[in-house]
Amino acid sequence: QVQLVESGGGLVQAGGSLRLSCAASGRTFRNYAMGWFRQAPGKEREFVAAVNWSGGSTYYADSVKGRFTISRDNAKNTVYLQMNSLKPEDTADYYCAGAAKFTIGTPQREPEYDYWGQGTQVTVSS
């Protein structure tokens, strides 16, 4: 079983930056594709970014492309989401997820992910 624990959320002004971290337990972390999703109040959860097992391939939602960067450190069992130029519409709970079935590729759909963290809140003030 893999456990994912997010951290790094908080309150930031528009235009600011935050870096989210997701620490994973389990020796097989390095075999999984990893992703970040978010859910704003009153909205459905949506895909944000994904990274393949090695970190060599990434994929982003259009809404965050050019502003957010996903990366991973397999030696530390951690995946990161660097968020720059934050906007009020980025306000949401952010969730880390692991896709055990994907040893390659960058999955973007929720059913493709097997493990989920508890979420960390990000609030961007205008």
Side-chain angles (χ1 to χ4, degrees):
Q1 187 74 355
V2 174
Q3 289 187 325
L4 304 174
V5 179
E6 302 96 333
S7 61
L11 174 64
V12 63
Q13 288 189 330
S17 298
L18 281 175
R19 188 175 82 155
L20 305 183
S21 299
C22 173
S25 64
R27 295 179 299 171
T28 55
F29 166 81
R30 64 187 63 204
N31 295 335
Y32 301 165
M34 297 294 295
W36 286 95
F37 289 76
R38 68 185 181 185
Q39 186 169 20
K43 295 188 177 182
E44 293 187 352
R45 190 156 57 184
E46 63 176 4
F47 169 79
V48 175
V51 60
N52 75 332
W53 70 276
S54 68
S57 180
T58 57
Y59 192 88
Y60 298 92
D62 287 343
S63 58
V64 306
K65 200 173 296 182
R67 300 188 298 122
F68 290 12
T69 302
I70 188 171
S71 61
R72 67 190 296 162
D73 185 338
N74 286 342
K76 296 182 178 180
N77 276 14
T78 303
V79 63
Y80 305 97
L81 186 68
Q82 177 67 44
M83 305 186 295
N84 298 329
S85 302
L86 282 161
K87 305 175 181 179
E89 51 264 43
D90 294 318
T91 294
D93 291 326
Y94 283 72
Y95 297 88
C96 171
K101 295 181 291 292
F102 282 79
T103 55
I104 60 174
T106 51
Q108 297 121 50
R109 299 186 306 119
E110 286 191 46
E112 296 171 326
Y113 286 85
D114 305 285
Y115 304 106
W116 293 85
Q118 82 291 347
T120 186
Q121 188 174 58
V122 172
T123 302
V124 184
S125 63
S126 57

